[in-house]
Amino acid sequence: MKGLIPAAGSGTRLGPFTHAMPKELLPVGDKAVIEHAVESFVKAGIDDITIVVSPKKHGLSDYLGSGKRFGVNITYVVQDERLGLANAVAAGEHVINGSPFAVVLGDNFFSPDTILQDLKQYHEKNSADATIGVMEVSDVTRHGIIQTDGNNIVDLIEKPEADKAPSKLGIAGMYVFEPGVFDAIGDTKPGHKNEYQLTDSIKILVEQDKKVVYRKIDGIHIDVGTPEDLMKANDYYLKNSKSKK
């Protein structure tokens, strides 16, 4: 299994910090938020990672390098235009090259670092075509929301209005896919904000009767997209690190 980290976002809600550096390099504790993602792949036994970047986002390769110091091999690919998460994942198809793969968003903080390992094992145990990490969310309008039947996903809605959400289970920025998802991405039409949404691609898999399952994340997930969320991630990490000493 391979890994993919989308890291091409602009980070506009984190200005002025992101005027100087990619948002994925903002620190959570003593390391960049994207380094936490790399460590989760290592914990899951995945050492071949593709990072999708936007043009001129050289800071990521300067920081992470080849991946050797983390015990992984990192390949960088460029998403020429920011056309949504599905488009970012598709940019890495030629490197994934027919393998199953896990996706962790580069600006999301997860703890503990075993969450991806658990999701990967759950995916393999269920022989799924796609396994989606979810958490109960308070604001459904900020997430892709799933509708379930047992442990299967039967519908998904990207950032629905509060009164139209089928549940409180929000997609949490961590996925495991079989390579067939690339065909679904190819069939995906522009959606929310006229972008190609990965939620819509997963919905195509559901409509094709593929096995799409979900796993509730047992831990912390913070989308480090605002100064408040960055502070929250740092507060959690620093308190948790102190408790381990």
Side-chain angles (χ1 to χ4, degrees):
M1 184 173 291
K2 296 184 179 181
L4 187 144
I5 302 177
S10 60
T12 52
R13 293 179 296 167
L14 281 162
F17 307 116
T18 49
H19 296 163
M21 67 173 72
K23 62 179 175 175
E24 295 84 3
L25 292 184
L26 291 171
V28 174
D30 57 355
K31 60 194 72 174
V33 62
I34 195 170
E35 187 174 340
H36 292 281
V38 171
E39 289 180 347
S40 71
F41 282 108
V42 173
K43 199 76 174 181
I46 298 171
D47 59 10
D48 192 340
I49 302 171
T50 298
I51 299 181
V52 181
V53 300
S54 59
K56 300 181 181 180
K57 214 165 180 181
H58 307 301
L60 290 167
S61 58
D62 290 342
Y63 182 88
L64 296 170
S66 68
K68 184 178 179 179
R69 68 189 174 98
F70 307 107
V72 300
N73 177 66
I74 294 176
T75 302
Y76 300 90
V77 299
V78 176
Q79 182 187 21
D80 293 317
E81 297 180 78
R82 295 187 180 103
L83 296 176
L85 183 54
N87 182 260
V89 172
E93 181 178 5
H94 65 290
V95 185
I96 298 301
N97 195 27
S99 298
F101 65 105
V103 176
V104 179
L105 302 190
D107 58 356
N108 282 215
F109 171 69
F110 295 89
S111 183
D113 61 6
T114 54
I115 290 175
L116 180 59
Q117 180 183 39
D118 176 64
L119 198 69
K120 174 177 175 278
Q121 291 172 347
Y122 191 78
H123 177 86
E124 292 168 345
K125 179 181 177 181
N126 284 277
S127 300
D129 293 293
T131 301
I132 316 302
V134 303
M135 293 192 77
E136 289 199 15
V137 298
S138 55
D139 184 0
V140 295
T141 65
R142 287 186 60 186
H143 300 267
I145 302 299
I146 67 169
Q147 182 177 343
T148 67
D149 179 10
N151 71 337
N152 296 312
I153 295 175
V154 296
D155 199 8
L156 307 92
I157 303 175
E158 178 66 22
K159 298 178 181 176
E161 296 176 15
D163 60 347
K164 295 181 180 178
S167 75
K168 290 281 190 179
L169 295 176
I171 297 173
M174 186 177 283
Y175 318 76
V176 182
F177 294 114
E178 296 300 308
V181 72
F182 289 117
D183 292 331
I185 290 173
D187 292 336
T188 301
K189 307 300 182 188
H192 185 73
K193 293 185 177 180
N194 205 36
E195 295 180 344
Y196 295 89
Q197 301 293 336
L198 189 57
T199 302
D200 294 336
S201 304
I202 298 167
K203 186 169 182 173
I204 289 173
L205 291 176
V206 171
E207 292 169 347
Q208 293 174 341
D209 292 326
K210 302 295 185 182
K211 189 164 188 178
V212 181
V213 301
Y214 73 96
R215 177 74 162 170
K216 267 190 166 184
I217 286 175
D218 185 15
I220 295 294
H221 164 245
I222 301 172
D223 177 354
V224 185
T226 66
E228 294 78 13
D229 288 332
L230 181 62
M231 291 173 64
K232 187 189 302 183
N234 272 283
D235 184 59
Y236 174 85
Y237 181 79
L238 293 172
K239 285 180 179 177
N240 192 57
S241 296
K242 289 177 182 178
S243 70
K244 290 180 179 179
K245 292 181 179 178

